[in-house]
């Protein structure tokens, strides 16, 4: 059984069927479909961060760099007025992002803890200012994508990216695949080595594994996925802005991942849903939503020891 | 660059660096002693600036305003530590990150509710409104020299306190081995409360004395927070001496980069930090 | 704003959804005005002022609405460009807003335009000056009641030349609005024979100006022209004074340098000359009443951001009045708005073919904490709207 923890199994069985049917109920209101799409895209990003922080113990505050790069790589390499193939460009973007991650990872993975937080932040800030100051890519005001890629494989178009419902299903599929992918990774030999490194790097080295290389592989993989999420986000509205790379984006992703329950992967989806849901409800209720958001975050940290996923697990344990 | 301009820029860089030290010192102190990563530290700088403005309006005296603000800061520090931070000592760092991000939200919201969103300003105290001519055109305000001196004085006091007093001895002992300190019958939780409150007060005082030479606006805390972290990390987390050197380095690099390499000036302090961490992954003076 | 209001909004949305095909019924529905401004973060003061002005105008001109109520749907943009498309589509698809007012920040404007261009709603920009909005990206349903970045800065070149300033240093934050302002100044200033000795671009939102000012001091130009706004403007003007440049090198600016900031700048701002499409001291009937009412309602003096929001309200009221309250035909609505002739606190304004205001630009000088008009260097100035194909 792939989704082996009971809570996780429940979550997968409740969330994905619901998400599959959701657009049927929301036909009247395309906004909710788009909103859910945005949340799911961000959840992919948070999941990739959650793997790094929770599973590998590599705390980064620069992950948004790859989220933004996902958009900017597309802007840089794709022709402006010509539809390109979605899958081919997904491949290009992931590979380029992975190469960038390989170089940066090579430098930053020498540090650990707070120092790693700060050095990843440093690289992300450099990228942020590069795109924000440069005039070539729209600078601070951002840049538009005029033509969306088409998604045909062998001449069969699966999704029409201009149709919000189609795009919703593409993102739902991506979300499920990402979760599935991380499950496979975690259960693989690679994943076990990563877990062992997280537990005790010294002993893993003694067992003959090169800790640095394993960490670098994990970092590269998660960064490429982060870029994929950023690519999807850019395609949703066709708008890229340097604020995607801002440290606040990394910060909110980190908050969602901790809130969901670090290292549980599916918790990242929970964390993103809860955070975005609260944000949405509070900002419609009161202008001072920030106050209540802050207070709720504080309350949740104190009440939930291992995030929402941890809380649910404990709840189920008590029941049985 | 002419020699006179070089010296003017040197003074600018040192003065900016000293102010950065004052803000960053509390952050590194709290991390060093308690292992707490307080992201809301920048918010306390903001609170300091707003308090300074508010009490100058109320009392008309900058000195009085500074004293009242420092006392309020101590109170905030004690309450926050006892009410919130204390619950998280046994949790991991990331829970503390989340908690302090929640606090940033709350402080920002309170600022907007209590004091509004318009930019505010505090005038330089009458007694220090003079300026010293440096070149034909450029003068240097006395108040900014005073601020630099205050920062140096606070650095000296902190150095003395940590190396020469009983509290400092406990702080140093707590840094290296907290269990041992507890075994010796010392109430470590009270020590933590005191240290946290001092950290908060340092940030607040920095906000107060910076108020007359800055604009008091929403979001000023987050901007300064990043600069502070750069300073503290360059110096080595937890090291007061490191924070002092790191702050001067950041101040000087930032000042000279903005004149000599304007295209790169936005990235320069990050390049500096990345460079230092690649050579010394624990910062310059980590313990 | 409370739960009741949310329920009301949701209910109204549901009701509107079922009825909107019937034009007759639609005329009894409230006019929905979506407000997309920053109410938190560094631009919050600008967002507040814009909203205040907007509400005040629609309240004052309630009789022009032919009995139709106004329903506001307010959204906090937090000045985060990456969220702009989402919020804009919420107002468009979820709330079916007739008008969407926003934003302050140019990056947010770009995100909004991406979603709203050529859609079934009318976007009115009450601040963001990005040239593109009424340039290459102009659209029938996008209007602006504020300015294009070119407008306030272009006339200052001529003013500088008239004052016999030949060598000028320009300075702003390194972002779209700042660069466009400096370019506009350069355009008129160098055409008249002036020389830009140095252009300084400061990373946004950095406010450590000391090193730049020391450098300006060593260059010792005839004058300095800057674009800064909000908190940065406060800090800049105070630093300029503190480092002794004030009184030796005249400070010129795009008018945002002294808008909504004068109280915080204090005596440091005295004597600063700026060009803008408004001034506190404009002596006309509309402005006098506007300033008095605004101060009474909101407890603080009005600034340019309030005026621009107020004019967005005036534009809506004017168009609804022209159409007798029936705004169901978008083409007719846009035509009415294009022909609008507004009596704004800043003087009379009309709209250019690119939907940007045609307006006077005033030369102002700060005297006793007020922007006093000393000249009108450009009357009824129209933005060149480069790249607009309307």
């Amino acid at each position: 059984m792939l989704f082996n923890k009971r809570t996780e199994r429940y979550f997968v069985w409740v969330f994905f069927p619901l998400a599959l049917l959701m657009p049927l109920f929301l036909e009247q209101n395309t906004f909710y479909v788009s909103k859910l799409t945005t949340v799911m895209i961000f959840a992919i990003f948070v999941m990739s961060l959650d793997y790094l922080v929770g599973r590998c113990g590599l705390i980064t505050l620069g992950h948004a760099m790859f989220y933004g790069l996902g958009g900017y790589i597309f802007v840089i390499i794709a022709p402006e007025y010509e539809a390109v193939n979605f899958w081919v460009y997904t491949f290009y973007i992931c590979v380029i992002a992975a190469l960038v991650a390989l170089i940066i990872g090579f430098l930053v993975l020498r540090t650990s803890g707070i120092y790693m937080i700060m050095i990843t932040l440093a690289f992300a800030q450099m990228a942020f200012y590069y795109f924000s100051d440069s005039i070539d890519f729209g600078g601070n005001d951002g840049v538009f994508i005029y033509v969306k890629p088409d998604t045909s494989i062998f001449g069969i178009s699966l999704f029409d990216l201009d149709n919000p419902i189609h795009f919703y299903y593409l993102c739902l599929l991506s979300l499920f695949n990402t979760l599935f992918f991380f499950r496979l990774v975690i259960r693989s030999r690679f994943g076990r080595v990563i877990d062992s490194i997280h537990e005790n790097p010294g002993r893993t080295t003694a067992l003959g594994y090169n800790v640095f290389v394993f960490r670098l592989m994990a970092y590269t993989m998660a960064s490429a996925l982060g870029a994929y999420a950023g690519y999807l986000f850019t395609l949703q509205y066709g708008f890229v802005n340097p604020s995607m790379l801002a440290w606040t984006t990394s910060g909110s992703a980190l908050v969602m991942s901790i809130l969901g329950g670090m290292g549980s992967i599916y918790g990242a989806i929970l964390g993103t849903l809860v955070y975005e849901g609260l944000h949405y409800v509070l900002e419609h209720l009161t202008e001072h939503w920030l106050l209540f958001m802050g207070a709720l975050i504080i309350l949740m940290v104190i009440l939930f020891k291992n995030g929402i996923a941890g809380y649910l697990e404990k709840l189920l344990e008590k029941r049985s | 660059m002419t020699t006179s301009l070089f010296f003017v820029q040197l003074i600018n860089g040192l003065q900016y660096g000293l102010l950065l030290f004052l803000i960053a010192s509390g952050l590194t102190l709290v991390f060093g002693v308690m292992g707490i990563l307080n992201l809301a530290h920048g918010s306390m700088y903001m609170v300091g600036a707003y308090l300074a403005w508010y009490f100058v309006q109320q009392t008309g005296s900058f000195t009085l305003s500074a004293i009242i603000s420092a006392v309020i800061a101590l109170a905030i520090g004690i309450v926050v530590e006892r009410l919130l931070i204390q619950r998280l000592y046994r949790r991991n760092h990331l829970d503390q990150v989340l908690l302090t991000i929640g606090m940033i939200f709350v402080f920002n919201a309170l600022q907007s509710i209590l004091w509004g969103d318009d930019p505010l300003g505090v005038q330089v105290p009458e007694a220090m409104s003079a300026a010293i001519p440096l070149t034909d055109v450029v003068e240097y305000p006395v108040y900014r020299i005073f601020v630099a001196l205050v920062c140096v004085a606070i650095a000296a006091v902190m150095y003395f306190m940590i190396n020469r007093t009983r509290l400092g001895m406990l702080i140093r002992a707590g840094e290296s081995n907290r269990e041992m300190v507890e075994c010796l019958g010392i109430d470590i939780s009270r020590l933590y409360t005191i240290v946290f409150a001092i950290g908060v007060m340092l940030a607040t005082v920095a906000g107060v004395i910076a108020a007359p030479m800055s604009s008091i606006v929403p979001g000023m805390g987050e901007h300064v927070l990043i600069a502070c972290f750069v300073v503290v990390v360059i110096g080595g987390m937890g090291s007061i001496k490191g924070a002092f050197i790191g702050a001067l380095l950041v101040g000087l690099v930032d000042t000279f980069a903005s004149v000599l390499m304007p295209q790169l000036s936005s990235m320069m302090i990050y390049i500096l930090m990345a460079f230092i961490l690649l050579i010394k992954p624990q910062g310059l003076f980590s313990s | 704003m409370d739960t009741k209001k949310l329920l009301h909004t949701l209910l109204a949305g549901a009701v509107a959804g079922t009825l909107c095909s019937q034009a007759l019924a639609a005329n009894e529905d409230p006019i929905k005005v979506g407000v997309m401004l920053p109410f938190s973060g560094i631009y919050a003061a600008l967002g507040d002022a814009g909203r205040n002005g907007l509400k005040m105008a629609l309240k004052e001109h309630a009789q022009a609405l032919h009995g139709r109520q106004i329903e506001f749907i307010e959204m906090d943009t937090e000045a985060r460009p990456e969220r702009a498309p989402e919020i804009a589509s919420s107002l468009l698809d979820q709330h079916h807003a007739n008008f969407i007012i926003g934003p302050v920040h140019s990056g947010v404007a770009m995100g909004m335009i991406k979603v709203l261009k050529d859609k079934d709603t009318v976007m009115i920009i009450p601040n963001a000056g990005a040239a593109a909005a009424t340039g290459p990206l102009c659209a029938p349903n996008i209007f602006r009641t504020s300015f294009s970045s070119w407008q306030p800065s272009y006339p200052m070149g001529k003013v500088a030349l008239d004052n016999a300033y030949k060598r000028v240093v320009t300075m702003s934050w390194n972002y779209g609005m700042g660069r466009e302002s400096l370019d506009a100044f350069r355009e008129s200033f160098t055409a008249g024979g002036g020389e830009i000795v140095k252009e300084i671009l400061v990373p946004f939102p950095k406010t450590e100006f000391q090193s730049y000012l020391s450098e300006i001091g060593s260059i010792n130009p005839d004058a300095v022209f800057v674009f800064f706004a909000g908190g940065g403007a406060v800090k800049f003007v105070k630093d300029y004074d503190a480092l002794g440049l004030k009184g030796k090198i005249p400070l010129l600016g795009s008018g945002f340098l002294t808008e909504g900031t004068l109280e915080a700048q204090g005596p440091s701002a005295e004597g600063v000359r700026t060009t803008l499409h408004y001034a506190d001291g404009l002596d006309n009937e509309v402005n006098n009443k506007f300033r008095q009412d605004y101060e009474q309602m909101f407890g603080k003096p009005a600034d340019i951001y309030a005026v621009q929001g107020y004019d967005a309200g005036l534009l809506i009221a004017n168009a609804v009045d022209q159409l007798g309250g029936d705004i169901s035909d978008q083409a007719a609505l846009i035509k009415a708005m294009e022909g609008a002739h507004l009596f704004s606190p800043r003087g009379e304004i009309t709209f250019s073919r690119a939907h940007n205001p045609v307006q006077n630009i005033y030369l102002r000088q700060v005297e006793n904490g007020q922007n006093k008009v000393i000249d009108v260097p450009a009357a009824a100035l129209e933005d060149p709207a480069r790249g607009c194909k309307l």
Side-chain angles (χ1 to χ4, degrees):
Chain A
M1 196 70 183
L2 193 60
F3 297 107
N4 50 349
K5 265 192 200 153
R6 195 149 51 127
T7 352
E8 186 175 31
R9 208 161 60 225
Y10 285 161
F11 170 75
V12 170
W13 279 108
V14 172
F15 176 79
F16 284 99
L18 261 179
L20 259 177
L21 298 176
M22 200 61 92
L24 299 180
F25 300 113
L26 298 175
E27 230 170 331
Q28 298 284 325
N29 200 329
T30 51
F31 168 71
Y32 284 118
V33 174
S34 305
K35 173 79 192 174
L36 275 175
T37 312
T38 312
V39 173
M40 289 193 307
I41 294 171
F42 208 70
I44 297 175
F45 177 62
V46 177
M47 258 197 273
S48 67
L49 179 68
D50 192 42
Y51 182 72
L52 277 184
V53 180
R55 281 280 160 173
C56 311
L58 302 172
I59 309 171
T60 149
L61 198 55
H63 206 47
M65 172 177 173
F66 296 99
Y67 192 61
L69 274 183
Y72 275 105
I73 293 172
F74 183 81
V75 169
I76 294 167
I77 65 174
E80 205 174 349
Y81 297 108
E82 195 183 309
V84 296
N85 187 286
F86 174 79
W87 310 104
V88 173
Y89 270 74
T90 301
F91 177 74
Y92 287 165
I93 285 167
C94 289
V95 167
I96 296 174
L99 286 177
V100 175
L102 209 58
I103 298 167
I104 291 179
F106 186 75
L107 299 173
V108 302
L109 291 174
R110 292 150 191 270
T111 58
S112 61
I114 171 88
Y115 299 99
M116 181 169 164
I117 297 185
M118 291 311 289
I119 196 168
T120 48
L121 172 76
F123 280 105
Q125 289 291 88
M126 288 180 218
F128 171 79
Y129 280 112
Y130 175 74
F131 288 110
S132 172
D133 288 354
S134 81
I135 306 162
D136 300 341
F137 311 115
N140 205 284
D141 290 345
V143 57
F144 288 171
I145 290 168
Y146 289 103
V147 188
K148 289 190 183 169
D150 83 294
T151 57
S152 52
I153 304 178
F154 305 121
I156 307 159
S157 182
L158 299 167
F159 300 97
D160 170 13
L161 296 190
D162 282 315
N163 181 331
I165 308 271
H166 283 213
F167 194 69
Y168 174 89
Y169 281 113
L170 175 66
C171 294
L172 182 61
L173 183 72
S174 303
L175 183 73
F176 183 78
N177 284 346
T178 312
L179 184 62
F180 192 78
F181 171 72
F182 274 123
R183 277 303 128 201
L184 287 180
V185 169
I186 286 169
R187 290 167 60 88
S188 69
R189 202 177 124 246
F190 173 83
R192 280 160 212 246
V193 177
I194 288 287
D195 280 351
S196 138
I197 291 174
H198 190 195
E199 207 66 39
N200 192 331
R203 201 169 293 169
T204 319
T205 314
L207 286 170
Y209 292 103
N210 188 332
V211 170
F212 183 79
V213 169
F214 273 87
R215 279 185 172 159
L216 188 59
M217 280 159 74
Y219 183 78
T220 307
M221 183 181 78
S223 301
L225 257 170
Y228 175 67
Y231 173 47
L232 285 179
F233 180 77
T234 333
L235 289 185
Q236 186 179 12
Y237 293 107
F239 179 55
V240 191
N241 187 280
S243 63
M244 282 173 77
L245 298 104
W247 71 276
T248 43
T249 308
S250 302
S252 5
L254 199 60
V255 168
M256 293 176 204
S257 145
I258 305 169
L259 200 60
M262 301 262 24
S264 62
I265 308 293
Y266 76 97
I269 304 177
L270 280 173
T272 315
L273 276 175
V274 168
Y275 185 93
E276 289 287 343
L278 278 177
H279 187 182
Y280 181 80
V281 172
L282 288 176
E283 79 178 343
H284 276 78
L285 284 179
T286 158
E287 197 172 308
H288 300 299
W289 61 271
L290 210 55
L291 181 66
F292 296 95
M293 195 78 197
L296 280 174
I297 289 178
I298 293 175
L299 212 65
M300 283 191 280
V301 189
I302 289 174
L303 291 182
F304 304 155
K305 268 208 175 113
N306 295 305
I308 299 168
Y311 180 74
L312 289 180
E313 261 157 42
K314 226 164 87 191
L315 215 64
L316 276 174
E317 234 166 66
K318 263 189 204 157
R319 282 269 175 88
S320 55
Chain B
M1 195 185 292
T2 60
T3 331
S4 63
L5 182 59
F6 175 80
F7 277 108
V8 174
Q9 298 294 25
L10 196 66
I11 297 172
N12 286 335
L14 287 176
Q15 188 241 309
Y16 178 43
L18 284 169
L19 184 64
L20 276 180
F21 165 74
L22 186 56
I23 313 169
S25 59
L27 188 69
T28 203
L29 180 73
V30 167
F31 184 84
V33 177
M34 305 160 69
I36 293 269
L37 202 54
N38 182 13
L39 293 185
H41 195 73
S43 303
M44 295 317 300
Y45 172 77
M46 173 194 78
V47 168
Y50 274 97
L51 284 177
W53 174 81
Y54 179 74
F55 287 111
V56 166
Q57 299 289 308
Q58 298 299 316
T59 65
S61 153
F62 185 74
T63 322
L64 206 57
S65 165
I67 295 169
I68 300 173
S69 306
V71 172
I72 292 178
L74 274 178
I76 294 176
I78 292 170
V79 170
V80 167
E81 203 274 346
R82 289 267 137 158
L83 215 61
L84 303 173
I85 306 280
Q86 215 161 61
R87 295 169 194 271
L88 294 186
Y89 284 136
R90 297 190 190 288
R91 303 265 203 95
N92 67 38
H93 279 315
L94 286 171
D95 281 349
Q96 298 161 4
V97 166
L98 191 53
L99 177 85
T100 49
I101 286 180
M103 280 162 54
I104 294 181
F105 285 14
V106 171
F107 280 122
N108 280 348
L110 288 177
Q111 164 264 311
S112 173
I113 294 167
L114 291 176
W115 295 301
D117 297 319
D118 291 319
L120 304 171
V122 173
Q123 294 307 315
V124 171
E126 201 65 43
M128 277 179 282
S129 58
I132 301 163
L134 288 183
T135 66
D136 298 345
V137 180
V138 179
E139 299 170 352
Y140 216 78
V142 168
Y143 183 74
R144 293 186 189 202
I145 296 168
F146 164 76
V147 168
L149 292 178
V150 169
C151 294
V152 172
I154 289 181
V157 168
M158 280 179 78
Y159 184 81
F160 175 78
M161 212 180 74
I162 287 178
N163 289 300
R164 296 285 143 79
T165 63
R166 192 179 141 74
L167 179 65
M169 195 185 71
L170 288 176
I171 287 174
R172 277 180 291 141
E175 268 178 36
S176 42
N177 193 333
R178 52 195 74 176
E179 283 79 18
M180 194 58 92
V181 177
E182 264 179 319
C183 288
L184 291 173
I186 282 140
D187 184 357
I188 193 107
S189 92
R190 211 176 74 197
L191 176 70
Y192 279 6
T193 310
I194 294 171
V195 169
F196 189 82
I198 291 176
V200 165
M201 189 181 75
L202 284 170
T204 311
V205 167
V208 171
I209 67 169
M213 45 188 215
S214 58
S215 57
I216 304 166
V217 284
M220 65 191 286
E222 282 92 285
H223 190 56
V224 88
L225 176 72
I226 294 282
C228 262
F229 266 99
V230 172
V231 162
V232 166
V233 161
I234 286 179
M237 286 298 290
S239 158
I240 300 282
K241 186 170 90 185
F244 190 77
I245 306 286
L248 292 186
L249 214 53
V250 168
L252 288 172
V253 166
D254 189 68
T255 301
F256 280 98
S258 52
V259 185
L260 298 176
M261 293 176 279
Q263 322 77 306
L264 276 184
S265 76
S266 53
M267 299 183 201
M268 210 51 218
I269 63 167
Y270 301 107
I271 295 176
L272 172 76
M273 175 167 74
F275 185 71
I276 287 179
L277 287 185
L278 290 177
I279 298 170
K280 299 204 79 170
Q282 306 280 302
L284 293 175
F285 295 93
S286 61
S287 35
Chain C
M1 291 247 266
D2 50 13
T3 342
K4 244 184 184 169
K5 175 144 188 219
L6 177 79
L7 278 176
H8 178 77
T9 314
L10 290 176
L11 261 177
V15 173
T18 51
L19 294 184
C20 67
S21 52
Q22 294 157 303
L24 264 178
N27 267 350
E28 284 151 28
D29 289 339
I31 296 174
K32 292 190 172 185
V33 178
V35 184
M36 247 186 97
L37 293 168
F39 302 123
S40 59
I42 53 171
Y43 290 121
L46 284 57
D48 277 339
R51 172 176 55 182
N52 289 345
L54 174 73
K55 290 195 167 169
M56 190 175 143
L58 286 170
K59 203 166 155 191
E60 250 175 40
H61 294 82
Q63 81 286 351
L65 302 174
H66 294 262
R68 296 200 56 177
Q69 299 294 308
I70 296 279
E71 182 187 319
F72 292 102
I73 307 133
E74 296 171 18
M75 301 285 234
D76 183 0
T77 64
E78 306 168 58
R80 277 170 61 191
E82 85 276 16
R83 275 204 78 209
E86 179 196 317
I87 303 176
S89 72
S90 156
L91 290 174
L92 180 73
D93 296 330
Q94 182 186 13
H95 298 289
H96 305 285
N98 302 99
F99 297 93
I100 297 178
I101 317 296
V104 163
H105 181 292
S106 286
V108 176
M110 298 288 282
M112 287 174 71
I113 291 170
K114 182 72 195 171
V115 171
L116 300 178
K117 194 169 189 279
D118 300 320
K119 290 286 162 53
D120 196 19
T121 184
V122 174
M123 172 177 174
I124 304 177
I125 305 173
N127 188 58
T134 56
L137 297 177
C138 70
N141 69 330
I142 299 175
F143 283 80
R144 178 145 64 187
T145 56
S146 49
F147 61 93
S148 73
S149 54
W150 181 88
Q151 277 179 317
S153 296
Y154 181 80
M156 191 50 117
K158 187 172 149 271
V159 173
L161 291 167
D162 290 348
N163 282 281
Y165 303 145
K166 288 284 170 208
R167 299 167 65 248
V168 169
V169 171
T170 61
M171 178 169 172
S172 91
W173 273 321
N174 188 12
Y175 62 5
M177 180 66 203
R179 283 194 301 260
E180 285 169 16
S181 298
L182 298 193
D183 288 348
F185 174 80
R186 176 197 295 273
E187 190 183 330
S188 60
F189 184 60
T190 52
E195 185 198 352
I196 308 273
V197 200
K198 191 176 177 69
E199 181 181 274
I200 299 173
L201 292 172
V202 183
F204 178 74
K206 185 179 175 180
T207 54
E208 297 305 324
F209 297 126
Q210 251 172 243
S211 56
Y212 303 103
L213 291 172
S214 305
E215 200 189 357
I216 291 176
S218 76
I219 296 173
N220 204 358
D222 297 341
V224 177
F225 173 82
V226 301
F227 171 87
F228 286 106
V234 174
K235 177 88 163 85
F236 183 85
V237 168
K238 285 179 92 170
D239 279 359
Y240 200 86
D241 182 21
L243 294 183
L245 271 63
K246 191 188 158 194
K248 293 173 194 144
I249 306 171
L251 178 59
L252 311 174
S254 172
F256 303 95
L257 191 65
T258 54
E259 281 297 326
T261 56
L262 283 172
E263 209 180 307
Q265 286 160 339
S268 297
E270 290 295 307
V272 174
R273 275 171 295 165
T274 58
T275 39
L276 196 68
H277 44 291
Y278 178 68
D280 322 337
L282 269 184
D283 191 19
N284 66 52
E285 209 178 308
V286 183
N287 190 37
N288 293 339
K289 182 173 179 320
F290 168 77
R291 294 199 71 82
Q292 199 182 354
D293 292 352
Y294 190 93
E295 182 133 22
Q296 206 168 19
M297 273 171 94
F298 305 108
K300 58 183 171 195
D303 56 25
I304 183 64
Y305 309 107
V307 173
Q308 292 168 168
Y310 183 81
D311 289 344
L314 280 191
L315 180 59
I316 293 175
N318 186 297
V320 173
D321 192 19
Q322 285 184 53
L323 296 171
D326 177 13
I327 55 164
S328 51
D329 178 1
Q330 201 198 19
L333 175 62
I334 288 172
K335 198 144 190 293
M337 290 173 75
E338 281 171 340
H341 189 100
L342 303 182
F343 292 93
S344 153
R346 67 183 109 163
E348 290 178 37
I349 55 174
T350 55
F351 290 88
S352 71
R353 70 187 163 88
H355 298 169
N356 195 62
V358 176
Q359 53 193 340
N360 292 344
I361 302 294
Y362 305 98
L363 175 63
R364 312 113 36 98
Q365 183 161 19
V366 180
E367 276 168 35
N368 302 321
Q370 259 220 333
N371 286 303
K372 285 270 163 29
V373 183
I374 51 178
D375 195 10
V376 186
L381 184 67
E382 183 177 340
D383 178 77
R386 290 162 189 142
C388 175
K389 293 193 185 80
L390 272 184

